[in-house]
Amino acid sequence: MHLENCLKLQTPGSQNYGATAPTTSTAQLLQTTGKISAKRSYLAVGVLCYINLLNYMDWFIVPGVLVDVTKYFNISDSIAGLLQTVFILCFLMSAPFFGYLGDRYNRKVILSAGIVLWSGVTLGSSFITESYSWIFFVSRGLVGFGTASYSTIAPTIIADLFEKDQRTCMLSVFYIFIPVGSGLGYVLSSSVTQTAGHWHWAFRITPCMGVIAVAILILLVPDPTQDATEGHGRQSFTSTTQGADKKPRAQNTASTTWCDDVKSLSKNRSFIWSSLGVTAMAFVTGALGLWVPLFLDRAQVVHDLVPPCLQEPCKSPNSLIFGGITIATGIVGVITGAAVARRYKKINTKADPLICAVGMFSSAPFLYLSIMLAARSIIATYIFIALGEFFLALNWAIVADILLYVVVPKRQSTAVSLQIFVSHLLGDAGSPYLTGVISDALHTRQNDSHLGAFRSLQYSFILCVFIDVLGGGFFLLTALHVEEDREEAQKTCILIFMMLLTESQKLLLKWHMANLHPNL
């Protein structure tokens, strides 16, 4: 159960980050018959990583063939940007719904239903003809609805399976598959389109992978909350006392409404500021993720490196190259960020938000150089885009860990869903469309069509640089409050857990705390 994570107390003098490991005596006190083996936990993370890979491949199939899609449906930049906006809006609107379900019902069932939905709709969208472009927009919205179930709930399963440095490590591995999946989305869509001769075929690969995902999810991934609850129902904490789950008052204390959860989270300053920092990250990555391949294609046309694409399929290597850059920088960035955070936390308790701030501030100048040098050197653009993405990728696993240790376990699914809602609503839900609108507005003032199309998209990207700097400021504000909010989350966990215990269990637990943690 979630409350089992609350009482994982450190020994005196050790650093405390998030849910820390219990001492041997306390661990024995908390052990239940529903405990999950380490082997099965690692296997579950492997399955969740595979599905995360598939999830983000579906996200970025459209950006990988955006040039072909715009030609096929004959749409402008602003309408093309609306494709990703519809996807993200449906994603974020459904995230709180899945967060509510994830805190209260079987998470494996919810995840399985979401995978079936997004895979089925992706397959169906591959048969849409050019005269029904509106159906393609609807299909992207339904895919966003399905993927929200996974992005909201999967991190909380990992949080239940691991603790302390292990949890940070497993989340790092999990979040590596965001850039890897995103990059493979570009690579898959572009390569399949070139091989098959039509972009529709790019939408028929991931649904097959989705069938495998559902099967291994059902067979191999446990639901820690459900398993621990069932075990606790069969056997009490000790052989001499009855379980606290039979106490009505304890049940009422542990259960809260969604409004109560939101009210509590609104007072958590670390959660608020870090969520705004994630929003800035989402704004930048959303705009770059959709438009960079098309921007590079237009830059190459200006340099006379490739001819203008007059009909699809458009033969351009940029989706493949950008996909490769995203994969490489994502892997290196996430691993580097997690490693630096793990070491820096030993000397600075504010390490996580400070590293996130450095990542945002550092990526801004590299993104600016990549945008402005595109008219002079494509190679330089590739290099600076890679550096900008690397510094953004430093933050992926760290921001998730911040949320998990400043929010009590029983509110984590709700917190994740609210962070997803805010970050996408104010971030990548609008940034692709806004970039397209600015590009169309600037394009009308240009004379030469190819140069004008390039310049308009180039200047519209500059907004991302300012948002990048703003995000760094939000993470600095997070650093001001993260210690206080982490301690408050731990105290709340202990209080709730104590209220669930019988009198004899409380006496036994107090004896352990008095001997091991005299300052508490």
Side-chain angles (χ1 to χ4, degrees), residues 320-490:
L320 286 171
I321 295 173
F322 183 65
I325 290 174
T326 302
I327 294 172
T329 58
I331 293 174
V332 176
V334 171
I335 293 175
T336 302
V340 172
R342 187 167 56 251
R343 288 166 173 77
Y344 190 33
K345 282 191 293 189
K346 296 178 181 179
I347 59 175
N348 190 338
T349 56
K350 301 178 180 180
D352 286 342
L354 290 177
I355 293 171
C356 290
V358 170
M360 297 292 285
F361 287 137
S362 300
S363 68
F366 291 117
L367 291 179
Y368 179 78
L369 289 173
S370 69
I371 294 167
M372 302 312 296
L373 292 177
R376 300 182 180 181
S377 172
I378 296 296
I379 300 299
T381 300
Y382 285 143
I383 294 173
F384 287 119
I385 283 178
L387 290 171
E389 285 203 317
F390 166 77
F391 283 106
L392 284 175
L394 291 177
N395 302 350
W396 280 116
I398 300 175
V399 294
D401 204 29
I402 291 174
L403 182 148
L404 292 173
Y405 64 62
V406 299
V407 176
V408 294
K410 71 188 186 71
R411 294 193 177 105
Q412 285 175 355
S413 287
T414 299
V416 170
S417 67
L418 287 176
Q419 189 174 87
I420 288 174
F421 182 85
V422 173
S423 64
H424 289 300
L425 176 65
L426 303 179
D428 54 353
S431 62
Y433 178 64
L434 180 60
T435 302
V437 169
I438 295 173
S439 178
D440 280 347
L442 294 174
H443 194 189
T444 59
R445 303 180 182 181
Q446 304 290 334
N447 295 322
D448 181 79
S449 60
H450 298 309
L451 180 60
F454 165 73
R455 290 294 186 190
S456 60
L457 194 52
Q458 180 186 42
Y459 295 146
S460 65
F461 271 146
I462 296 177
L463 177 62
C464 293
V465 178
F466 292 100
I467 299 298
D468 221 353
V469 175
L470 183 63
F474 288 139
F475 282 119
L476 288 180
L477 291 172
T478 304
L480 296 177
H481 307 289
V482 68
E483 292 175 304
E484 178 184 348
D485 291 330
R486 179 171 52 225
E487 292 175 1
E488 182 65 26
Q490 290 175 333

Side-chain angles (χ1 to χ4, degrees), residues 110-440:
I110 300 169
L111 293 180
S112 300
I115 296 170
V116 169
L117 175 61
W118 95 57
S119 298
V121 173
T122 298
L123 178 62
S125 64
S126 69
F127 298 99
I128 298 172
T129 61
E130 63 266 33
S131 57
Y132 292 96
S133 60
W134 64 272
I135 298 181
F136 190 72
F137 280 81
V138 172
S139 71
R140 294 310 295 169
L142 291 175
V143 172
F145 181 84
T147 56
S149 63
Y150 188 77
S151 297
T152 302
I153 296 173
T156 65
I157 295 179
I158 297 177
D160 286 344
L161 292 173
F162 299 94
E163 58 198 35
K164 204 179 178 181
D165 287 342
Q166 258 192 326
R167 183 184 65 186
T168 302
C169 180
M170 291 300 104
L171 284 172
S172 301
V173 173
F174 179 78
Y175 281 103
I176 280 176
F177 287 87
I178 292 180
V180 172
S182 303
L184 284 178
Y186 293 106
V187 173
L188 172 72
S189 58
S190 179
S191 59
V192 171
T193 299
Q194 298 303 319
T195 302
H198 201 286
W199 63 269
H200 278 162
W201 284 98
F203 289 76
R204 297 169 185 171
I205 304 299
T206 54
C208 299
M209 300 171 67
V211 174
I212 300 173
V214 173
I216 60 178
L217 173 68
I218 294 173
L219 294 174
L220 302 178
V221 177
D223 188 339
T225 303
Q226 184 187 36
D227 291 351
T229 302
E230 290 174 354
H232 190 68
R234 292 189 299 267
Q235 179 176 320
S236 61
F237 268 107
T238 66
S239 59
T240 58
T241 60
Q242 293 185 348
D245 55 328
K246 297 179 181 179
K247 297 172 65 177
R249 183 171 178 267
Q251 289 181 337
N252 293 336
T253 303
S255 300
T256 58
T257 65
W258 186 80
C259 291
D260 292 334
D261 292 344
V262 173
K263 184 178 179 180
S264 175
L265 292 171
S266 67
K267 299 176 182 179
N268 190 321
R269 290 170 293 182
S270 295
F271 171 73
I272 296 297
W273 289 120
S274 63
S275 295
L276 290 176
V278 174
T279 301
M281 288 174 54
F283 186 98
V284 175
T285 56
L288 297 179
L290 182 68
W291 291 112
V292 163
L294 183 59
F295 172 69
L296 293 173
D297 183 71
R298 291 179 180 179
Q300 289 185 327
V301 171
V302 171
H303 285 282
D304 293 324
L305 298 176
V306 297
C309 180
L310 301 178
Q311 62 180 14
E312 51 91 24
C314 301
K315 295 183 178 180
S316 172
N318 290 305
S319 290
L320 286 171
I321 295 173
F322 183 65
I325 290 174
T326 302
I327 294 172
T329 58
I331 293 174
V332 176
V334 171
I335 293 175
T336 302
V340 172
R342 187 167 56 251
R343 288 166 173 77
Y344 190 33
K345 282 191 293 189
K346 296 178 181 179
I347 59 175
N348 190 338
T349 56
K350 301 178 180 180
D352 286 342
L354 290 177
I355 293 171
C356 290
V358 170
M360 297 292 285
F361 287 137
S362 300
S363 68
F366 291 117
L367 291 179
Y368 179 78
L369 289 173
S370 69
I371 294 167
M372 302 312 296
L373 292 177
R376 300 182 180 181
S377 172
I378 296 296
I379 300 299
T381 300
Y382 285 143
I383 294 173
F384 287 119
I385 283 178
L387 290 171
E389 285 203 317
F390 166 77
F391 283 106
L392 284 175
L394 291 177
N395 302 350
W396 280 116
I398 300 175
V399 294
D401 204 29
I402 291 174
L403 182 148
L404 292 173
Y405 64 62
V406 299
V407 176
V408 294
K410 71 188 186 71
R411 294 193 177 105
Q412 285 175 355
S413 287
T414 299
V416 170
S417 67
L418 287 176
Q419 189 174 87
I420 288 174
F421 182 85
V422 173
S423 64
H424 289 300
L425 176 65
L426 303 179
D428 54 353
S431 62
Y433 178 64
L434 180 60
T435 302
V437 169
I438 295 173
S439 178
D440 280 347

